[in-house]
Amino acid sequence: MQLQRETSDPLYLQIKNALTAQIQAGQLQAHQRLPSERELSDTFHVSRMTARQALPAMVWHGAAYARVGKGTFVAEPKIDQQSQSLSDFSEDVRGRGGRPSSRVLDARTLPAGVDVAAALGLTLGAPVAMLVRVRLSDGTPLAVESAYLPAALVPGIFSHDFSVESLYEVLARDYGLVLTSAEQSIEAVLADPRELELLVLTSPSAVLKMQRLSKTAEGTPVEWVLSSYRGDRFVFHSILQPRGETG
């Protein structure tokens, strides 16, 4: 690729964009080593200083990761969760061409604690179905999810094998509970020891903590889920609209 030296775009960003295009075209695969700054300098006919800026830019945008003394490598593609549409983990992974699966850690009915009862609009101690899973894409653990549902709405829910079945599909098909809206919050924190173990991360690593309350079209709360997503594999995408004019 020839760099456009007459444009206002910095040369190092043009190099970064060229490498990103090669990744998107499949010419560079996940975990493949990227060219060194010397190789980039020779290929694009730029100074070593210019080439040196391109690789950190790749890392900063999540397209690559660096290993001290080894070089810079192509990162695994991130799962793009569209915040303007309500979908579950399985749908998100399939949408990227991956194979979703789960490892069930806990599945039982228990009394609602203060937080769960408040979120689902239940009385304290009301029975709730709790489903805790590690969510995987092509065998790689990407998230830990703890879902809580009013037990009265989902009798017999644990007769299903949620290591392979989608919770949202079961809710719609077997219980007539179609989730159409949700309120969610996301924050970035350091993974705790349990998350490090379950998500196969090294310390310190960041996770994206999400709380989501999903409802039916009638406004009935059905699922409150607490999730921890690997920060190196997920990006949350939103479309923002301008506020309406006020008089």
Side-chain angles (χ1 to χ4, degrees):
M1 172 185 171
Q2 293 293 325
L3 301 183
Q4 305 298 314
R5 299 176 186 272
E6 67 279 4
T7 71
S8 60
D9 293 335
L11 295 179
Y12 81 91
L13 282 182
Q14 294 186 48
I15 296 172
K16 174 219 158 231
N17 292 338
L19 294 173
T20 301
Q22 291 179 38
I23 293 171
Q24 293 172 343
Q27 297 169 359
L28 293 170
Q29 302 295 322
H31 307 298
Q32 182 176 341
R33 181 181 171 277
L34 290 171
S36 67
E37 61 186 56
R38 173 176 288 181
E39 291 168 327
L40 291 176
S41 176
D42 292 341
T43 299
F44 291 99
H45 307 291
V46 296
S47 69
R48 289 278 294 273
M49 182 176 294
T50 296
R52 187 177 299 129
Q53 297 177 76
L55 296 175
M58 296 285 290
V59 174
W60 176 260
H61 286 86
Y65 62 93
R67 287 183 176 169
V68 178
K70 303 262 184 205
T72 306
F73 299 81
V74 178
E76 290 274 1
K78 292 193 175 186
I79 304 297
D80 185 359
Q81 187 172 82
Q82 303 291 326
S83 295
Q84 71 272 18
S85 60
L86 179 58
S87 60
D88 68 358
F89 180 91
S90 298
E91 291 176 285
D92 294 333
V93 170
R94 291 192 193 105
R96 298 282 298 180
R99 177 177 54 84
S101 62
S102 299
R103 186 165 75 249
V104 177
L105 302 178
D106 200 355
R108 55 194 167 100
T109 301
L110 72 169
V114 174
D115 291 343
V116 175
L120 293 172
L122 302 173
T123 58
L124 187 64
V128 292
M130 179 184 70
L131 177 62
V132 183
R133 294 176 289 177
V134 176
R135 313 304 304 273
L136 305 96
S137 174
D138 298 316
T140 300
L142 298 185
V144 181
E145 288 187 353
S146 299
Y148 300 88
L149 306 95
L153 295 180
V154 290
I157 188 73
F158 295 130
S159 64
H160 294 273
D161 182 2
F162 288 110
S163 65
V164 292
E165 292 188 76
S166 163
L167 176 59
Y168 279 22
E169 290 176 3
V170 167
L171 290 175
R173 182 187 67 236
D174 294 1
Y175 298 97
L177 297 170
V178 179
L179 305 183
T180 61
S181 65
E183 304 169 14
Q184 75 177 21
S185 61
I186 304 169
E187 63 176 330
V189 300
L190 289 177
D192 62 30
R194 180 170 179 268
E195 291 162 343
L196 291 171
E197 178 183 0
L198 293 174
L199 297 176
V200 195
L201 298 170
T202 57
S203 181
S205 291
V207 292
L208 298 173
K209 292 268 195 182
M210 184 184 76
Q211 293 187 38
R212 181 162 74 179
L213 176 64
S214 300
K215 303 177 181 179
T216 64
E218 295 75 30
T220 302
V222 172
E223 179 206 39
W224 188 51
V225 61
L226 306 176
S227 306
S228 297
Y229 289 87
R230 284 180 57 157
D232 62 338
R233 293 297 309 277
F234 267 84
V235 58
F236 287 84
H237 178 79
S238 300
I239 293 178
L240 305 178
Q241 303 291 344
R243 293 184 178 182
E245 293 184 3
T246 58

